[in-house]
Coordinates of all heavy atoms in Angstrom, one line a residue:
M774 N 82.9 -27.7 -29.5 CA 82.6 -26.4 -30.0 C 83.8 -25.4 -29.7 O 84.1 -24.6 -30.6 CB 81.4 -25.9 -29.3 CG 81.0 -24.5 -29.7 SD 79.3 -24.1 -29.2 CE 79.2 -22.4 -29.6
I775 N 84.4 -25.5 -28.5 CA 85.5 -24.6 -28.2 C 86.7 -24.9 -29.1 O 87.3 -23.9 -29.6 CB 85.9 -24.8 -26.7 CG1 84.8 -24.3 -25.8 CG2 87.2 -24.1 -26.4 CD1 85.0 -24.5 -24.4
T776 N 86.9 -26.1 -29.5 CA 88.0 -26.5 -30.4 C 87.8 -25.9 -31.8 O 88.7 -25.3 -32.4 CB 88.2 -28.0 -30.5 OG1 88.4 -28.5 -29.2 CG2 89.4 -28.3 -31.4
G777 N 86.5 -25.9 -32.2 CA 86.2 -25.4 -33.5 C 86.4 -23.9 -33.5 O 86.9 -23.3 -34.5
L778 N 86.0 -23.2 -32.5 CA 86.2 -21.7 -32.4 C 87.6 -21.4 -32.3 O 88.0 -20.3 -32.8 CB 85.4 -21.2 -31.2 CG 83.9 -21.1 -31.3 CD1 83.2 -20.7 -30.0 CD2 83.5 -20.2 -32.4
M779 N 88.4 -22.2 -31.6 CA 89.9 -21.9 -31.6 C 90.5 -22.0 -32.9 O 91.4 -21.2 -33.3 CB 90.6 -22.8 -30.6 CG 90.3 -22.5 -29.1 SD 91.2 -23.6 -28.1 CE 91.1 -22.8 -26.5
V780 N 90.1 -23.0 -33.7 CA 90.6 -23.2 -35.1 C 90.2 -22.0 -35.9 O 91.0 -21.5 -36.7 CB 90.1 -24.5 -35.7 CG1 90.4 -24.6 -37.1 CG2 90.7 -25.7 -34.9
L781 N 88.9 -21.6 -35.8 CA 88.4 -20.5 -36.5 C 89.2 -19.2 -36.2 O 89.5 -18.4 -37.0 CB 86.9 -20.3 -36.3 CG 86.2 -19.1 -36.9 CD1 86.3 -19.2 -38.4 CD2 84.8 -18.9 -36.5
E782 N 89.5 -19.0 -34.9 CA 90.2 -17.9 -34.5 C 91.7 -17.9 -35.0 O 92.2 -16.8 -35.5 CB 90.3 -17.8 -33.0 CG 91.0 -16.5 -32.5 CD 90.7 -16.2 -31.0 OE1 90.3 -17.1 -30.3 OE2 90.8 -15.0 -30.7
A783 N 92.3 -19.0 -35.1 CA 93.6 -19.2 -35.7 C 93.6 -18.8 -37.2 O 94.4 -18.1 -37.7 CB 94.2 -20.6 -35.5
V784 N 92.6 -19.3 -37.9 CA 92.4 -19.0 -39.3 C 92.2 -17.5 -39.5 O 92.8 -16.8 -40.4 CB 91.3 -19.8 -39.9 CG1 90.9 -19.3 -41.3 CG2 91.6 -21.3 -40.0
L785 N 91.3 -16.9 -38.7 CA 91.0 -15.5 -38.8 C 92.3 -14.6 -38.5 O 92.5 -13.6 -39.1 CB 89.9 -15.1 -37.8 CG 88.5 -15.5 -38.3 CD1 87.5 -15.2 -37.1 CD2 88.1 -14.8 -39.5
S786 N 93.1 -15.1 -37.5 CA 94.3 -14.3 -37.2 C 95.3 -14.3 -38.3 O 95.9 -13.3 -38.7 CB 94.9 -14.8 -35.9 OG 95.4 -16.1 -36.1
I787 N 95.4 -15.5 -39.0 CA 96.4 -15.6 -40.1 C 95.8 -14.7 -41.3 O 96.6 -14.0 -42.0 CB 96.6 -17.1 -40.5 CG1 97.3 -17.8 -39.4 CG2 97.3 -17.2 -41.9 CD1 97.4 -19.3 -39.6
A788 N 94.5 -14.8 -41.5 CA 93.9 -14.0 -42.6 C 94.1 -12.5 -42.3 O 94.4 -11.7 -43.2 CB 92.4 -14.4 -42.7
L789 N 93.9 -12.1 -41.1 CA 94.0 -10.7 -40.7 C 95.5 -10.2 -40.9 O 95.7 -9.1 -41.5 CB 93.6 -10.5 -39.2 CG 93.6 -9.0 -38.8 CD1 92.6 -8.2 -39.6 CD2 93.2 -9.0 -37.3
I790 N 96.4 -11.0 -40.5 CA 97.8 -10.7 -40.8 C 98.1 -10.5 -42.3 O 98.8 -9.6 -42.7 CB 98.8 -11.7 -40.1 CG1 98.7 -11.6 -38.6 CG2 100.2 -11.5 -40.6 CD1 99.3 -12.8 -37.9
A791 N 97.6 -11.5 -43.0 CA 97.9 -11.5 -44.5 C 97.2 -10.3 -45.2 O 97.9 -9.6 -46.0 CB 97.3 -12.8 -45.1
V792 N 96.0 -9.9 -44.8 CA 95.3 -8.8 -45.4 C 96.1 -7.5 -45.0 O 96.2 -6.6 -45.9 CB 93.9 -8.7 -44.9 CG1 93.2 -7.4 -45.3 CG2 93.1 -9.9 -45.5
V793 N 96.5 -7.3 -43.8 CA 97.3 -6.1 -43.4 C 98.6 -6.0 -44.1 O 99.0 -4.9 -44.6 CB 97.4 -6.1 -41.9 CG1 98.4 -5.0 -41.5 CG2 96.1 -5.9 -41.2
V794 N 99.3 -7.1 -44.3 CA 100.6 -7.1 -44.9 C 100.4 -6.8 -46.4 O 101.3 -6.2 -47.0 CB 101.3 -8.4 -44.7 CG1 102.6 -8.6 -45.6 CG2 101.7 -8.6 -43.2
L795 N 99.4 -7.3 -47.0 CA 99.2 -7.1 -48.5 C 98.8 -5.6 -48.8 O 98.9 -5.2 -50.0 CB 98.1 -8.0 -49.0 CG 98.5 -9.4 -49.1 CD1 97.3 -10.3 -49.5 CD2 99.6 -9.6 -50.2
Q796 N 98.4 -4.8 -47.9 CA 98.0 -3.4 -48.2 C 99.2 -2.6 -48.5 O 100.3 -2.8 -47.9 CB 97.3 -2.8 -47.0 CG 95.9 -3.4 -46.8 CD 95.2 -2.8 -45.6 OE1 95.6 -1.7 -45.1 NE2 94.1 -3.4 -45.1
S797 N 99.1 -1.7 -49.4 CA 100.2 -0.8 -49.8 C 100.4 0.2 -48.7 O 99.5 0.7 -48.0 CB 99.9 -0.1 -51.1 OG 98.8 0.8 -50.9
G798 N 101.7 0.4 -48.4 CA 102.1 1.4 -47.4 C 101.9 2.8 -47.8 O 101.9 3.1 -49.0
K799 N 101.9 3.7 -46.8 CA 101.8 5.1 -47.1 C 103.2 5.6 -47.4 O 104.2 5.0 -47.1 CB 101.3 5.8 -45.8 CG 100.0 5.4 -45.3 CD 98.9 5.8 -46.2 CE 97.6 5.3 -45.6 NZ 96.5 5.2 -46.6
S800 N 103.3 6.7 -48.2 CA 104.5 7.3 -48.6 C 105.2 7.8 -47.3 O 104.6 8.4 -46.4 CB 104.3 8.4 -49.5 OG 103.7 8.0 -50.7
A801 N 106.5 7.6 -47.3 CA 107.3 8.0 -46.1 C 107.9 9.4 -46.3 O 108.1 9.8 -47.5 CB 108.4 7.0 -45.8
G802 N 108.3 10.0 -45.3 CA 108.9 11.3 -45.4 C 108.0 12.5 -45.5 O 106.8 12.4 -45.5
L803 N 108.6 13.7 -45.7 CA 107.9 14.9 -45.8 C 107.0 15.0 -47.0 O 105.9 15.4 -47.0 CB 108.9 16.1 -45.8 CG 108.3 17.5 -45.8 CD1 107.4 17.7 -44.6 CD2 109.3 18.5 -45.8
S804 N 107.5 14.5 -48.2 CA 106.7 14.5 -49.4 C 105.4 13.6 -49.3 O 104.4 14.0 -49.8 CB 107.5 14.1 -50.6 OG 107.9 12.7 -50.4
G805 N 105.6 12.6 -48.5 CA 104.4 11.7 -48.3 C 103.3 12.3 -47.5 O 102.2 12.2 -47.7
S806 N 103.8 13.1 -46.5 CA 102.8 13.8 -45.6 C 102.1 14.9 -46.3 O 100.9 15.2 -46.1 CB 103.4 14.3 -44.3 OG 104.4 15.2 -44.6
I807 N 102.8 15.6 -47.2 CA 102.2 16.7 -48.0 C 101.2 16.1 -49.0 O 100.1 16.5 -49.1 CB 103.3 17.5 -48.7 CG1 104.1 18.3 -47.7 CG2 102.6 18.5 -49.7 CD1 105.3 18.9 -48.3
A808 N 101.6 15.0 -49.7 CA 100.7 14.4 -50.7 C 99.5 13.8 -50.0 O 98.4 13.8 -50.5 CB 101.5 13.3 -51.5
G809 N 99.7 13.2 -48.8 CA 98.6 12.6 -48.1 C 97.6 13.6 -47.7 O 96.4 13.4 -47.7
G810 N 98.1 14.7 -47.2 CA 97.2 15.8 -46.8 C 96.4 16.4 -48.0 O 95.3 16.7 -47.9
A811 N 97.1 16.5 -49.1 CA 96.4 17.0 -50.3 C 95.4 16.0 -50.8 O 94.3 16.5 -51.2 CB 97.4 17.3 -51.4
E812 N 95.6 14.8 -50.7 CA 94.6 13.8 -51.1 C 93.4 13.8 -50.2 O 92.3 13.7 -50.7 CB 95.2 12.4 -51.1 CG 96.1 12.1 -52.2 CD 96.7 10.6 -52.2 OE1 96.2 9.8 -51.4 OE2 97.6 10.3 -53.0
S813 N 93.6 14.0 -48.9 CA 92.4 14.0 -48.0 C 91.6 15.3 -48.2 O 90.4 15.3 -48.1 CB 92.9 13.9 -46.6 OG 93.7 15.0 -46.2
I814 N 92.3 16.4 -48.5 CA 91.6 17.7 -48.8 C 90.8 17.6 -50.1 O 89.7 18.1 -50.1 CB 92.6 18.9 -48.8 CG1 93.1 19.1 -47.4 CG2 91.9 20.2 -49.3 CD1 94.3 20.1 -47.3
F815 N 91.4 17.2 -51.1 CA 90.8 17.2 -52.4 C 90.0 15.9 -52.7 O 89.6 15.7 -53.8 CB 91.9 17.4 -53.5 CG 92.5 18.7 -53.4 CD1 93.9 18.8 -53.2 CD2 91.8 19.9 -53.5 CE1 94.5 20.0 -53.0 CE2 92.4 21.1 -53.4 CZ 93.8 21.2 -53.2
G816 N 89.8 15.0 -51.7 CA 89.0 13.9 -51.9 C 89.6 12.7 -52.7 O 88.9 12.0 -53.4
G817 N 90.9 12.5 -52.5 CA 91.5 11.4 -53.2 C 91.0 10.1 -52.7 O 90.7 9.9 -51.5
K818 N 90.8 9.1 -53.5 CA 90.3 7.8 -53.1 C 91.3 6.7 -53.4 O 92.0 6.8 -54.4 CB 89.0 7.6 -53.9 CG 87.9 8.5 -53.5 CD 86.6 8.2 -54.2 CE 85.5 9.1 -53.8 NZ 84.3 8.9 -54.5
R819 N 91.2 5.7 -52.6 CA 92.0 4.5 -52.9 C 91.3 3.7 -54.0 O 90.1 3.8 -54.2 CB 92.0 3.6 -51.7 CG 92.8 4.2 -50.5 CD 92.8 3.3 -49.4 NE 91.4 3.4 -48.8 CZ 91.1 3.0 -47.6 NH1 92.1 2.6 -46.8 NH2 89.9 3.1 -47.2
K820 N 92.1 3.1 -54.8 CA 91.6 2.4 -56.0 C 91.7 0.9 -55.8 O 92.7 0.4 -55.2 CB 92.3 2.8 -57.2 CG 92.2 4.3 -57.5 CD 92.9 4.6 -58.8 CE 92.9 6.1 -59.0 NZ 93.7 6.5 -60.1
G821 N 90.8 0.2 -56.4 CA 90.9 -1.3 -56.6 C 91.2 -2.1 -55.4 O 90.4 -2.2 -54.5
L822 N 92.4 -2.7 -55.4 CA 92.7 -3.7 -54.4 C 92.9 -3.1 -53.0 O 92.5 -3.7 -52.1 CB 94.0 -4.4 -54.8 CG 94.5 -5.6 -54.0 CD1 93.5 -6.7 -54.0 CD2 95.8 -6.1 -54.5
D823 N 93.4 -1.9 -52.9 CA 93.5 -1.3 -51.6 C 92.2 -1.1 -51.0 O 92.0 -1.3 -49.7 CB 94.2 0.1 -51.8 CG 95.7 0.0 -51.9 OD1 96.2 -1.1 -51.6 OD2 96.3 0.9 -52.4
E824 N 91.2 -0.7 -51.7 CA 89.8 -0.5 -51.1 C 89.2 -1.9 -50.7 O 88.7 -1.9 -49.6 CB 88.9 0.1 -52.2 CG 87.6 0.5 -51.7 CD 86.7 1.2 -52.7 OE1 87.3 1.7 -53.6 OE2 85.5 1.2 -52.5
I825 N 89.4 -2.9 -51.5 CA 88.9 -4.2 -51.1 C 89.6 -4.7 -49.8 O 89.0 -5.3 -48.9 CB 89.1 -5.2 -52.3 CG1 88.2 -4.8 -53.4 CG2 88.8 -6.6 -51.8 CD1 88.5 -5.6 -54.7
L826 N 91.0 -4.5 -49.8 CA 91.7 -5.0 -48.6 C 91.4 -4.2 -47.4 O 91.3 -4.8 -46.3 CB 93.2 -4.9 -48.9 CG 93.8 -5.9 -49.9 CD1 95.3 -5.5 -50.2 CD2 93.7 -7.3 -49.4
A827 N 91.1 -2.9 -47.5 CA 90.7 -2.1 -46.3 C 89.3 -2.6 -45.8 O 89.2 -2.8 -44.6 CB 90.6 -0.7 -46.7
K828 N 88.4 -2.9 -46.7 CA 87.1 -3.5 -46.2 C 87.2 -4.9 -45.6 O 86.6 -5.2 -44.6 CB 86.1 -3.5 -47.4 CG 85.6 -2.1 -47.8 CD 84.7 -2.2 -48.9 CE 84.3 -0.8 -49.4 NZ 83.4 -0.8 -50.5
A829 N 88.1 -5.7 -46.2 CA 88.3 -7.0 -45.7 C 89.0 -7.0 -44.3 O 88.7 -7.8 -43.4 CB 89.2 -7.8 -46.7
T830 N 89.9 -6.0 -44.1 CA 90.5 -5.8 -42.8 C 89.5 -5.6 -41.7 O 89.5 -6.1 -40.6 CB 91.5 -4.7 -42.8 OG1 92.5 -5.0 -43.8 CG2 92.2 -4.5 -41.5
I831 N 88.5 -4.7 -42.0 CA 87.5 -4.3 -41.0 C 86.6 -5.5 -40.7 O 86.3 -5.8 -39.6 CB 86.7 -3.1 -41.6 CG1 87.5 -1.9 -41.7 CG2 85.4 -2.9 -40.7 CD1 86.9 -0.7 -42.4
I832 N 86.2 -6.2 -41.8 CA 85.3 -7.4 -41.6 C 86.0 -8.5 -40.8 O 85.5 -9.0 -39.8 CB 84.8 -7.9 -42.9 CG1 83.9 -6.9 -43.6 CG2 84.1 -9.2 -42.8 CD1 83.6 -7.1 -45.0
I833 N 87.3 -8.8 -41.2 CA 88.0 -9.9 -40.5 C 88.3 -9.5 -39.1 O 88.2 -10.3 -38.1 CB 89.3 -10.3 -41.3 CG1 88.9 -10.9 -42.6 CG2 90.1 -11.2 -40.5 CD1 90.1 -11.1 -43.6
A834 N 88.7 -8.3 -38.8 CA 89.0 -7.8 -37.5 C 87.7 -7.9 -36.6 O 87.8 -8.3 -35.4 CB 89.5 -6.4 -37.5
A835 N 86.6 -7.5 -37.1 CA 85.3 -7.6 -36.4 C 85.0 -9.1 -36.0 O 84.6 -9.4 -34.9 CB 84.2 -7.0 -37.1
L836 N 85.1 -9.9 -37.0 CA 84.9 -11.4 -36.8 C 85.9 -11.9 -35.7 O 85.5 -12.7 -34.8 CB 85.0 -12.2 -38.1 CG 83.9 -12.0 -39.1 CD1 84.2 -12.7 -40.4 CD2 82.6 -12.5 -38.5
F837 N 87.1 -11.5 -35.8 CA 88.1 -12.0 -34.8 C 87.7 -11.5 -33.4 O 87.8 -12.3 -32.5 CB 89.5 -11.4 -35.2 CG 90.6 -11.8 -34.3 CD1 91.2 -13.1 -34.4 CD2 91.1 -11.0 -33.3 CE1 92.2 -13.5 -33.6 CE2 92.1 -11.4 -32.5 CZ 92.7 -12.6 -32.6
G838 N 87.3 -10.3 -33.3 CA 86.9 -9.8 -32.0 C 85.7 -10.5 -31.4 O 85.7 -10.8 -30.2
I839 N 84.7 -10.8 -32.3 CA 83.5 -11.5 -31.8 C 83.9 -12.9 -31.4 O 83.4 -13.4 -30.3 CB 82.5 -11.5 -33.0 CG1 81.9 -10.1 -33.2 CG2 81.3 -12.5 -32.6 CD1 81.1 -9.9 -34.4
V840 N 84.7 -13.6 -32.2 CA 85.0 -15.0 -31.8 C 85.9 -15.0 -30.6 O 85.7 -15.9 -29.7 CB 85.8 -15.7 -33.0 CG1 86.4 -17.0 -32.6 CG2 84.9 -15.9 -34.2
T841 N 86.7 -14.0 -30.4 CA 87.5 -13.9 -29.2 C 86.6 -13.7 -27.9 O 86.8 -14.4 -26.9 CB 88.5 -12.8 -29.3 OG1 89.4 -13.0 -30.4 CG2 89.4 -12.7 -28.0
M842 N 85.6 -12.8 -28.0 CA 84.7 -12.6 -26.9 C 83.9 -13.9 -26.6 O 83.7 -14.2 -25.4 CB 83.8 -11.4 -27.2 CG 84.6 -10.1 -27.1 SD 83.5 -8.7 -27.2 CE 83.4 -8.4 -28.9
V843 N 83.5 -14.6 -27.6 CA 82.7 -15.8 -27.4 C 83.6 -16.9 -26.7 O 83.1 -17.5 -25.8 CB 82.1 -16.3 -28.7 CG1 81.6 -17.7 -28.6 CG2 81.1 -15.4 -29.3
L844 N 84.8 -17.0 -27.2 CA 85.7 -17.9 -26.5 C 86.0 -17.6 -25.1 O 86.0 -18.5 -24.2 CB 87.0 -18.0 -27.3 CG 87.1 -19.0 -28.5 CD1 88.4 -18.8 -29.2 CD2 87.0 -20.4 -28.0
V845 N 86.1 -16.3 -24.8 CA 86.4 -15.9 -23.4 C 85.2 -16.3 -22.5 O 85.3 -16.8 -21.4 CB 86.7 -14.4 -23.3 CG1 86.6 -13.9 -21.9 CG2 88.1 -14.1 -23.9
K846 N 84.0 -16.0 -23.0 CA 82.8 -16.4 -22.3 C 82.6 -17.9 -22.1 O 82.2 -18.3 -21.0 CB 81.5 -15.9 -23.0 CG 81.1 -14.5 -22.7 CD 80.9 -14.3 -21.2 CE 79.8 -13.4 -20.8 NZ 79.8 -13.1 -19.4
L847 N 83.0 -18.7 -23.1 CA 82.8 -20.1 -23.0 C 83.9 -20.7 -22.0 O 83.7 -21.8 -21.5 CB 82.9 -20.8 -24.3 CG 81.7 -20.5 -25.3 CD1 82.0 -21.2 -26.6 CD2 80.5 -21.1 -24.7
M848 N 85.0 -20.1 -21.9 CA 86.1 -20.6 -21.1 C 85.9 -20.4 -19.6 O 86.6 -21.0 -18.8 CB 87.5 -20.0 -21.6 CG 87.8 -20.4 -23.0 SD 88.3 -22.1 -23.1 CE 89.9 -21.9 -23.8
Q849 N 85.0 -19.5 -19.3 CA 84.9 -19.1 -17.8 C 84.1 -20.2 -17.1 O 83.2 -20.8 -17.5 CB 84.2 -17.8 -17.7 CG 85.1 -16.7 -18.1 CD 84.4 -15.3 -17.9 OE1 83.2 -15.2 -17.7 NE2 85.2 -14.3 -18.0

C-alpha cells in the first residue's frame, strides 16, 4: 500500500508541475500591473484553458497534500 501511494504521489507531483508550467504567465512590468489591476476592478475573467488549468491546479495540489499526509501517518 505504501508503494502504491508513493507512486501516486510521484504521478501527482509530475502532474502538478506540468499544470503550473502550462498556465500562461502574468504580464511583466508596469503596464502589466496596471492592466492586472484594471481587470480585477472591472471583473475581468480568465478564459478557456487558463480557467481549466487553475481548477486542475487546486484539485491536484489538494490530492497531493492528502496523499502526503497519509504517507506520513503510515510511515510512523
